[in-house]
Amino acid sequence: MSDQDLVVETVRDILTGFEPFALTAERRWDAGLWGALASAGLTGVGLPEEAGGSGGELADAVAIVATLARGAGAVPVAEQLLVAGPALLAADLDLPSPEEPTTFAFADAVTVHPVDNGDGPGRFTLNGTVPDVAWAGVASHVVVLAPAPAGISGAVLALIDASSLPATDAFNLAGEPRGSLVLDQVGTSGTLLTEAQASEVRARYALARAVQLAAALEQVLAWTVQYAGERHQFGRPLGKFQAIQMELAEMAGEVTAVSALTDAAVQALDRGGNVVLAAAAAKVRAGAAVEVVARLAHQVHGAIGFTQEHKLHHLTRRLWSWRDEAGSDLAWSRVLGAGVLAGGPDAVWPALTRVV
Amino acid sequence: MSSNSLTLAPAPRSEAAEQVRAEVREFLAAELAAGTFDTHVDTWLSGVDPAFSRKLGDRGWLGMTWPKQYGGHERSAMERYAVTEELLAAGAPVAAHWIADRQSGPNLLTYGTEKQRQEILPRIAAGECFFVIGMSEPDSGSDLASIRTRAVRNGDGDWVVNGAKVWTSNAHHSHYGIVLVRTTPADPAHRHAGMSQLLIDLSLPGITINPIRILDGGHHFNEVVFEDVVVPGDMLLGEEGNGWHQVTAELAFERSGPERFLSTYPLVAEFARRVADSDDPAALATLGRLSARILALRQMSMRIAAALDRGELPNIPAALVKDVGTTFEGDVIEEIRRVVDVTPSLDSPDPLGRALAEAQLHAPGYTLRGGTNEILRGIVARGLGLR
Ligand SMILES: Cc1cc2nc3c(=O)[nH]c(=O)nc-3n(C[C@H](O)[C@H](O)[C@H](O)COP(=O)(O)OP(=O)(O)OC[C@H]3O[C@@H](n4cnc5c(N)ncnc54)[C@H](O)[C@@H]3O)c2cc1C
């Protein structure tokens, strides 16, 4: 068994003790699941031990995120392992304890003032609203990417202690918290990033969502295939009807396309290449698949899949949300479009052959 | 999960493939500059240019993966993949040799006699010998097992063939066909039994090739009629009665290549030029979305090339790639026309209008040739364990 299989098995075992539930304003996350993952060291995987993490490869972290996404685990592991943690490390900032959830957000409307200098790790004061914070009200820390102070190019990556900051009530379609944080003269440590470094951090966030989307899409397909084998109508399993087979095959095509590309984008990240276009592509392709897969999954499941009793909604509602988070489908489509055009219109094909 | 059979391992990264890719690009740029070809959509159906095919043969870009003793170059499937992609992306005239290089040659390598291989493979690799696929018949399309063309042995041990094939792409330019025939009468209880493949020289007496025109008026496919055609006994391909198995084994080659999503790439390239000249954010986003789909298809298709390199026959994933790929080829047209103001016409002074017209008039073929998407989805459903 490979390391990743082992990691996946461990996460699966833990997940069996925590059935997914419908999130509400009172029940914003699965604290029990988080606790179990944290005590198994799984909330620090992929982050080096010297920095307080549990070690392991990027692929291990990706496997954990994917497995949790399949199980609709309501915990900020994708944000922590794939985005906030690596971004802090790359920026030479201290990692909060992996046992405490750390999330990530773009803070385009936040203004940043250097306290002593804006060059290298330093102190900053932040003012303004950070919108769409994944796990707002749950995460103890938020890593924000904000515009650099006036007159300086690039962006500032700052670590905010969110434990005492009130979050607004806002939720995505699956009930996952996506509230805002208001920063009023919040002092914190941060690092000035170049424009390229900042784009890479954004791309990591998109790729994290693509990994979750890919895994959830695979799971929705598996559930639907299974259901089509179990549910009988007109004396036969649904899966024996050609119309249903066509729908499932169409879903499979979409899912396979997303998995192949997301896989390739993760490998690109692992090789240390520029991952912006690869991540954009994976995110956009996954978003496009959601349309087909979620629609047909509900169609095949009939009315039972339309209820909160059935598990299907735990993933379809997440799919509908995740595709527009971490940068919208439209935004990443433009990034990718502009990226392949960057060398001029005659160089689009060569650009396409280089992305992944 | 049962869809595992649809999942393939990632393709290895290949320096050699990138190297040959660069060489092909350089060659194509020089040919375009010299005016030896114009870019068109769907050139692997319509771009017949034997001189161009010979040039590719001279460069070692045909029969790339075959053993050297048969004129091949013993290169990897990933290298071949890069070459085919570059040719399609450039809209180069590759139809003359396409079937022979992609399908008939590998078929001969697997099933051919030593004599057949020695006589034919080096000529394919040189770009001098072109092939057709003789499968479909007037009454047998999706239900290929219902073919009626028959071959019977005469007293000399030769085959006498009677019947008709249709939709035979480029029969009027080709030298040989690999033709699926009944060699024993149909048995309703064993529909796939009693078929064989014959290697037929298309210049033999008794063969008539009648043009069938497609929507844009082009003559690319044909009806091929066989009237008492005497085919030498040693032109059986593979085993007598094993035709069905041989035909289905071909399909991984036939269905998974980049031609199943890049037939319309020249339209995308033309669209990209338009996007670069405008500052329309909707068009830019469309280019991004199309790019993401192309990138995913490349990953899928390259994985199959790698699996073929490993000696596997991934027929089910190949069917899946063709379904997703050809669906994309049709969608491209709609996505682009939604964001550009251009009227499609083969006579348009605007290259985008021309490319759109070519793509549109060829579009119904994408999801038919090589097996319809309904049939492909049936195969995928089998891969999902539903059948
Ligand atoms: C451009 C082009 C080039 C071609 N080149 C060649 C060639 O070189 N050599 C060759 O042998 N053939 C060639 N073909 C033929 C091609 O393989 C057939 O068109 C194809 O197999 C479909 O057969 P058909 O056209 O008879 O359609 P039919 O089989 O009559 O099907 C008509 C429709 O019914 C659907 N259908 C049929 N059966 C089922 C089923 N069981 N379940 C659900 N739906 C079903 C089909 O999907 C399709 O939508 C070519 C076709 C085209 C368009």
Side-chain angles (χ1 to χ4, degrees):
Chain A
M1 194 186 281
S2 75
D3 285 1
Q4 272 157 53
D5 293 339
L6 199 65
V7 165
V8 167
E9 192 149 300
T10 313
V11 177
R12 269 199 204 132
D13 280 352
I14 293 175
L15 268 172
T16 52
F18 301 90
E19 285 297 302
F21 47 76
L23 294 168
T24 62
E26 288 69 47
R27 220 162 42 155
R28 292 165 180 256
W29 73 314
D30 197 338
L33 175 58
W34 176 271
L37 294 166
S39 43
L42 293 165
T43 55
V45 171
L47 306 171
E49 288 172 28
E50 312 85 80
S54 329
E57 308 292 318
L58 172 68
D60 304 325
V62 166
I64 293 172
V65 169
T67 310
L68 287 168
R70 277 193 195 99
V75 283
V77 172
E79 290 79 0
Q80 173 152 319
L81 295 191
L82 299 184
V83 197
L88 287 172
L89 288 173
D92 259 335
L93 292 168
D94 286 338
L95 211 60
S97 159
E99 308 219 339
E100 292 172 14
T102 300
T103 190
F104 174 81
F106 308 144
D108 293 342
V110 164
T111 54
V112 177
H113 295 285
V115 174
D116 44 16
N117 61 55
D119 188 17
R123 299 288 302 171
F124 296 89
T125 316
L126 276 59
N127 276 292
T129 300
V130 190
D132 305 325
V133 181
W135 309 103
V138 166
S140 338
H141 292 87
V142 184
V143 174
V144 297
L145 188 67
I152 304 176
S153 73
V156 169
L157 188 87
L159 175 64
I160 296 171
D161 181 347
S163 46
S164 57
L165 288 175
T168 61
D169 269 347
F171 304 92
N172 71 10
L173 301 175
E176 294 177 325
R178 296 296 187 256
S180 309
L181 296 179
V182 178
L183 308 182
D184 181 13
Q185 290 287 98
V186 171
T188 180
S189 55
T191 301
L192 187 64
L193 304 184
T194 64
E195 209 39 75
Q197 290 168 326
S199 318
E200 196 145 329
V201 173
R202 288 172 184 268
R204 273 185 162 273
Y205 196 14
L207 185 55
R209 283 287 182 271
V211 166
Q212 292 177 292
L213 283 164
L217 287 163
E218 284 167 9
Q219 187 62 59
V220 166
L221 171 65
W223 281 346
T224 311
V225 169
Q226 189 186 355
Y227 184 75
E230 290 165 357
R231 169 83 172 164
H232 283 63
Q233 290 292 292
F234 301 98
R236 310 196 258 167
L238 294 179
K240 294 291 168 201
F241 292 100
Q242 198 183 34
I244 299 293
Q245 290 177 356
M246 297 286 123
E247 296 185 336
L248 293 170
E250 190 179 352
M251 291 169 70
E254 291 297 296
V255 170
T256 310
V258 172
S259 303
L261 184 55
T262 306
D263 229 34
V266 168
Q267 287 176 18
L269 178 64
D270 216 5
R271 285 195 304 272
N274 181 338
V275 77
V276 174
L277 297 187
K283 177 77 171 17
V284 169
R285 185 63 187 89
V290 167
E291 179 191 338
V292 176
V293 174
R295 172 168 52 83
L296 294 178
H298 275 288
Q299 189 67 18
V300 172
H301 275 85
I304 189 68
F306 193 48
T307 67
Q308 284 219 343
E309 272 161 62
H310 194 275
K311 63 188 172 187
L312 183 61
H313 71 93
H314 290 300
L315 291 187
T316 52
R317 291 193 296 149
R318 283 176 168 79
L319 290 175
W320 288 320
S321 281
W322 290 346
R323 63 176 170 172
D324 288 316
E325 294 178 356
S328 70
D329 184 85
L330 183 63
W332 285 115
S333 300
R334 286 182 190 148
V335 168
L336 182 55
V340 299
L341 267 179
D346 290 328
V348 170
W349 173 253
L352 283 169
T353 61
R354 280 194 306 267
V355 173
V356 280
Chain B
M1 136 180 160
S2 55
S3 75
N4 269 345
S5 57
L6 303 179
T7 315
L8 288 164
R13 294 174 70 73
S14 164
E15 279 306 314
E18 291 321 298
Q19 174 75 35
V20 70
R21 185 187 288 289
E23 290 164 19
V24 179
R25 260 180 210 165
E26 210 173 294
F27 164 80
L28 288 169
E31 293 292 313
L32 267 174
T36 51
F37 76 92
D38 294 327
T39 293
H40 286 285
V41 166
D42 201 14
T43 45
W44 68 274
L45 176 73
S46 55
V48 174
D49 182 346
F52 190 84
S53 294
R54 257 194 311 278
K55 279 188 202 170
L56 298 179
D58 288 345
R59 303 238 162 190
W61 293 337
L62 301 181
M64 285 179 74
T65 61
W66 311 345
K68 290 196 170 138
Q69 65 183 118
Y70 303 123
H73 304 279
E74 297 182 6
R75 300 177 78 161
S76 67
M78 299 315 297
E79 290 168 84
R80 176 175 186 274
Y81 183 89
V83 172
T84 51
E85 253 194 352
E86 290 302 316
L87 293 168
L88 294 163
V94 293
H97 67 265
W98 197 262
I99 303 295
D101 174 68
R102 171 185 78 190
Q103 191 164 348
S104 319
N107 212 3
L108 280 164
L109 263 180
T110 312
Y111 298 109
T113 62
E114 193 52 33
K115 177 164 173 276
Q116 290 167 351
R117 292 182 191 174
Q118 280 180 7
E119 272 179 20
I120 295 174
L121 290 175
R123 290 169 55 208
I124 297 180
E128 290 171 354
C129 181
F130 310 136
F131 266 71
V132 303
I133 304 167
M135 294 190 194
S136 305
E137 297 188 9
D139 296 322
S140 305
S142 302
D143 182 12
L144 195 57
S146 68
I147 57 155
R148 290 206 292 247
T149 297
R150 64 190 188 285
V152 289
R153 292 257 194 201
N154 66 14
D156 304 329
D158 295 332
W159 298 98
V160 181
V161 181
N162 279 285
K165 295 287 170 182
V166 271
W167 324 128
T168 320
S169 297
N170 289 314
H172 54 310
H173 297 296
S174 297
H175 306 95
Y176 286 96
I178 294 181
V179 180
L180 185 68
V181 294
R182 290 217 147 275
T183 40
T184 45
D187 171 0
H190 301 97
R191 300 190 70 236
H192 298 153
M195 286 181 267
S196 307
Q197 285 188 310
L198 291 181
L199 195 57
I200 300 185
D201 180 337
L202 294 175
S203 67
L204 286 176
I207 297 181
T208 318
I209 297 173
N210 301 313
I212 306 175
R213 296 197 172 273
I214 66 167
L215 303 186
D216 67 359
H219 170 200
H220 307 299
F221 57 30
N222 303 275
E223 178 194 39
V224 181
V225 182
F226 300 87
E227 285 171 301
D228 291 327
V229 178
V230 179
V231 176
D234 63 358
M235 293 304 250
L236 177 73
L237 179 66
E239 234 177 277
E240 186 176 339
N242 195 33
W244 183 258
H245 174 79
Q246 292 173 204
V247 159
T248 44
E250 256 174 81
L251 295 175
F253 292 95
E254 173 160 1
R255 290 181 170 160
S256 63
E259 68 267 41
R260 300 306 181 175
F261 59 95
L262 291 179
S263 306
T264 49
Y265 187 78
L267 168 61
V268 178
E270 222 26 82
F271 172 60
R273 282 184 198 109
R274 189 62 49 98
V275 178
D277 289 343
S278 81
D279 43 14
D280 176 1
L284 187 64
T286 296
L287 180 63
R289 286 197 193 96
L290 296 175
S291 299
R293 289 175 76 177
I294 291 172
L295 288 166
L297 283 158
R298 290 190 74 231
Q299 290 302 316
M300 298 163 84
S301 185
M302 286 193 289
R303 283 167 185 228
I304 295 188
L308 291 170
D309 238 359
R310 296 192 298 267
E312 298 164 23
L313 268 185
N315 279 320
I316 292 176
L320 180 126
V321 171
K322 184 180 181 294
D323 177 34
V324 182
T326 57
T327 301
F328 168 76
E329 288 184 319
D331 288 354
V332 159
I333 299 164
E334 302 304 324
E335 295 288 344
I336 291 175
R337 53 173 287 287
R338 237 172 249 148
V339 290
V340 293
D341 206 355
V342 57
T343 309
S345 164
L346 294 174
D347 309 312
S348 176
D350 176 350
L352 184 56
R354 278 202 304 280
L356 207 49
E358 288 177 355
Q360 183 68 74
L361 291 173
H362 281 229
Y366 308 147
T367 48
L368 294 175
R369 57 182 171 192
T372 71
N373 290 41
E374 289 75 16
I375 295 296
L376 297 170
R377 287 180 188 177
I379 294 168
V380 173
R382 182 168 303 129
L384 289 170
L386 297 166
R387 306 176 45 171

